[in-house]
Amino acid sequence: MKKKCMPIQTHMTQAELLLLSDLAKSLGPKSNIVEIGSYLGASTCALSEGIKDGKVYAIDTWTNLTMSEGERDTYSQFLDNTNPYKDIVNPLRGLSHGVVKDFSFPVDLLFVDGDHSYEGAYTDLKDWLPKVKDFGIVVCHDYTWAEGVRRAIRELLAPLQIDAGRTLDGLYWTQIQHKQQDSKLTARVSVAIPTYRRLDLLLNAVESIVRQECQHEFEVIVLDNDCDDKVKESLTDRFAEVGSRLRYVPVPDLGLHNGRNQAAIAAKGDIVVFVDDDVIVPSGWLEAICAPFSDPQVGAVGGKTLPKWDDPPPDWLKQVPDDYFSLLDLGDTPRDMQWPETPYGCNMAFRRDLVLTLGGFPPDGVGGGWIEWKRGDGETGFAKRVYDEGYRVVYSPQAWLYHRIPAQRQTVEFVRRRTIKGAISSAYSEVRYFLPNKLMLPVQVAKHTVKALLAGLQRLAMSFRGVEHWLQYDIQWTHHLVSALYKTRLLFDSDLRKWVYKQHYWSDKSPNAN
């Protein structure tokens, strides 16, 4: 931004102002920007600096009615501050719901930074979203702290989004397209199946899902991380009678949750049900996992997941936690989950608007080798955000399915690899959500090191008595050793620290749905 606009008093960060300028630059010539809540003009200048041969319509009462600084007339100060852009800025003094009645221009970018109460944010979006062009940009400020703003975004903006909601500091922005919703449907459901080079398993999973009987109209989306035309052709040939209800989406960015995030973007349903490509679902499963969403306070549902062993499991495998195989059985009675209980990725459902507006799923499968440093906490981390927003997370045992477990997962090597993945995910969560500052990392490293040494000694002592005796200590030793390594790396790797604290992990590449 130009230095002459930098000293203007504002509640926005420099990064936010630069983003507004960049978004304005992305518009075509002769575009129209509407800004609701201009205050002293810092954001107005940022938008004006970016726009190409267009107009910025600045709407405000300039009486500071809802400002923390107290009520006073700031209109003349606004005019002085924005004077360098007087040919671009068109001030419209008044309340936004009054100004909109006489506003007749199509809007390319809408920036909402007015009253941050739910009623105020809801009114601003309700009145002005119809003015925004298809593929136009909508930006809202103070998303991170204003619950009313977040609620209005979920209710009015999320249904129109054609892309994920991005965040930077307190800004939330996305593109929209106006769509007609079918009022006859009580819900629309999208079943998402990420896949990677497991065509035979995928076809069996799709077979069991597309034959479901459900009172809601539903679609099935296959997210292919291998982008293999053979997968698309096989789906088309085998399920030709399903037609457009089965869609194929290539996802070039490797990672399970990259696929799940792109599913939420591509989904036409209000509810997105996520499964793995190695599940088999019984009749009635889809109806059962959707049923709890009749309560608007339900944000997520997790179903019961039972094992389908390809080979009989060895006795020593009983020491391995069920979550290593994504198995979940909390009994036969439906109930609300309580944190840290969360649905498992192979059998879970979320409201689409929550996935789009809460930053999507942190990745939990990116990278290669034994240790994937850039690994997040996946559906666990996202479920925590749903809890934090005050939504119910429900366990539905009637929504049960089988998760296939092949022979190659019944090995000590698999258990160790799974322990390493779990250790990274746990350490990521601890650092991101619960560690107050970097100075605590050495203390954490020391604790993990001591626990790793103790578990290692116990593992050594039991090593002569068979795998069923030493495996539990091997799991503990591996977990604490990897946790110590990860947190040590965080002390010295600034890029990894920045990655851990990213506000969203959306891919920059949009899906090409067919």
Side-chain angles (χ1 to χ4, degrees):
M1 288 180 60
K2 295 179 181 177
K3 291 184 179 179
K4 57 189 172 184
C5 290
M6 299 283 279
I8 301 173
Q9 182 181 343
T10 178
H11 292 181
M12 300 188 70
T13 67
Q14 187 61 31
E16 291 172 338
L17 293 172
L18 289 171
L19 176 62
L20 287 182
S21 184
D22 288 342
L23 291 174
K25 287 178 184 177
S26 72
L27 304 176
K30 299 186 182 300
S31 295
N32 296 314
I33 296 176
V34 169
E35 175 189 47
I36 301 174
S38 301
Y39 189 35
L40 300 181
S43 55
T44 314
C45 289
L47 292 165
S48 300
E49 188 168 317
I51 196 170
K52 307 180 188 75
D53 187 25
K55 289 289 184 183
V56 176
Y57 296 91
I59 302 171
D60 205 312
T61 62
W62 286 286
T63 55
N64 284 27
L65 288 175
T66 61
M67 302 294 289
S68 59
E69 289 83 356
E71 184 175 348
R72 66 186 178 94
D73 193 301
T74 58
Y75 186 55
S76 61
Q77 192 174 354
F78 169 83
L79 293 178
D80 289 342
N81 289 337
T82 58
N83 186 61
Y85 304 101
K86 61 183 177 181
D87 294 334
I88 297 172
V89 178
N90 189 352
L92 301 174
R93 192 165 190 179
L95 296 170
S96 66
H97 65 266
V99 173
V100 74
K101 296 175 183 177
D102 298 319
F103 193 90
S104 58
F105 302 108
V107 178
D108 297 273
L109 188 154
L110 173 66
F111 175 44
V112 180
D113 191 18
D115 183 351
H116 295 106
S117 68
Y118 168 68
E119 294 77 13
Y122 186 96
T123 298
D124 286 339
L125 288 174
K126 177 179 67 69
D127 289 346
W128 285 93
L129 281 176
K131 303 282 186 179
V132 180
K133 291 180 179 178
D134 282 343
F135 307 104
I137 300 172
V138 180
V139 188
C140 297
H141 192 222
D142 292 321
Y143 169 82
T144 49
W145 66 264
E147 193 280 331
V149 173
R150 293 199 302 275
R151 180 180 168 190
I153 287 172
R154 287 195 297 269
E155 293 179 4
L156 294 178
L157 184 55
L160 303 179
Q161 290 185 199
I162 57 174
D163 201 356
R166 265 66 172 177
T167 55
L168 174 70
D169 295 344
L171 287 182
Y172 179 97
W173 78 99
T174 189
Q175 283 186 294
I176 69 167
Q177 183 177 13
H178 300 281
K179 296 179 287 189
Q180 295 293 324
Q181 300 294 328
D182 190 341
S183 60
K184 296 181 181 179
L185 298 174
T186 56
R188 300 183 67 184
V189 181
S190 299
V191 181
I193 315 174
T195 189
Y196 183 71
R197 298 183 179 179
R198 298 200 295 189
L199 181 56
D200 290 341
L201 292 174
L202 170 68
L203 293 175
N204 289 334
V206 172
E207 178 76 37
S208 67
I209 292 169
V210 297
R211 312 302 179 195
Q212 290 283 301
E213 292 186 5
C214 183
Q215 66 171 319
H216 308 304
E217 179 181 322
F218 72 94
E219 64 173 352
V220 179
I221 311 174
V222 173
L223 295 307
D224 184 11
N225 239 172
D226 197 33
C227 304
D228 186 354
D229 287 340
K230 181 181 177 182
V231 174
K232 181 180 178 181
E233 293 167 2
S234 298
L235 290 168
T236 301
D237 291 344
R238 182 160 172 177
F239 304 105
E241 76 282 3
V242 176
S244 60
R245 196 152 59 89
L246 176 61
R247 293 196 287 145
Y248 171 87
V249 176
V251 182
D253 291 333
L254 194 63
L256 172 64
H257 282 296
N258 287 328
R260 287 177 176 157
N261 286 336
Q262 296 295 359
I265 296 172
K268 296 178 181 178
D270 301 318
I271 298 165
V272 186
V273 182
F274 298 94
V275 296
D276 288 350
D277 61 4
D278 55 358
V279 303
I280 299 295
V281 305
S283 175
W285 160 80
L286 185 57
E287 184 73 34
I289 204 167
C290 292
F293 288 103
S294 60
D295 181 348
Q297 289 304 308
V298 173
V301 177
K304 178 188 289 191
T305 304
L306 302 176
K308 188 173 180 59
W309 304 96
D310 283 2
D311 290 336
D315 287 341
W316 61 262
L317 210 61
K318 295 176 182 177
Q319 297 180 77
V320 179
D322 285 348
D323 62 358
Y324 276 40
F325 305 103
S326 300
L327 304 179
L328 180 65
D329 187 350
L330 301 180
D332 297 325
T333 303
R335 66 172 177 84
D336 280 14
M337 289 181 165
Q338 303 295 328
W339 177 259
E341 294 176 329
T342 63
Y344 287 175
C346 63
N347 188 16
M348 63 182 185
F350 292 92
R351 294 190 184 276
R352 177 178 181 262
D353 60 358
L354 292 179
V355 183
L356 292 181
T357 61
L358 295 182
F361 296 98
D364 73 349
V366 180
W370 275 82
I371 299 181
E372 299 167 339
W373 297 108
K374 287 190 174 180
R375 179 181 178 85
D377 52 5
E379 65 267 18
T380 301
F382 183 72
K384 182 181 185 301
R385 298 183 193 180
V386 175
Y387 276 117
D388 290 345
E389 286 294 305
Y391 284 86
R392 294 173 57 205
V393 178
V394 173
Y395 167 70
S396 174
Q398 287 74 31
W400 66 273
L401 54 69
Y402 286 119
H403 190 211
R404 295 186 62 172
I405 303 174
Q408 56 265 38
R409 292 190 180 183
Q410 301 177 32
T411 64
V412 171
E413 181 187 31
F414 168 80
V415 172
R416 284 182 178 146
R417 284 184 175 272
R418 181 63 183 79
T419 302
I420 291 171
K421 292 177 186 291
I424 295 291
S425 292
S426 295
Y428 167 96
S429 297
E430 290 167 9
V431 171
R432 181 179 175 98
Y433 306 124
F434 306 114
L435 204 63
N437 56 59
K438 179 184 171 183
L439 297 177
M440 292 296 296
L441 281 172
V443 176
Q444 295 272 311
V445 170
K447 288 182 177 179
H448 286 300
T449 302
V450 171
K451 290 180 179 180
L453 288 172
L454 292 175
L457 291 173
Q458 290 174 301
R459 187 241 188 261
L460 184 63
M462 294 291 182
S463 62
F464 301 104
R465 300 181 58 186
V467 65
E468 65 272 17
H469 295 284
W470 57 256
L471 183 60
Q472 59 179 311
Y473 300 112
D474 189 86
I475 291 173
Q476 295 173 28
W477 173 76
T478 303
H479 175 89
H480 289 293
L481 176 63
V482 173
S483 297
L485 290 172
Y486 180 81
K487 292 177 180 178
T488 299
R489 181 160 181 160
L490 277 174
L491 280 168
F492 303 101
D493 190 337
S494 60
D495 288 338
L496 183 59
R497 287 199 303 275
K498 290 177 183 177
W499 188 87
V500 167
Y501 290 108
K502 284 181 70 172
Q503 289 183 292
H504 67 78
Y505 296 90
W506 296 110
S507 167
D508 291 330
K509 298 171 184 169
S510 297
N512 179 21
N514 295 294

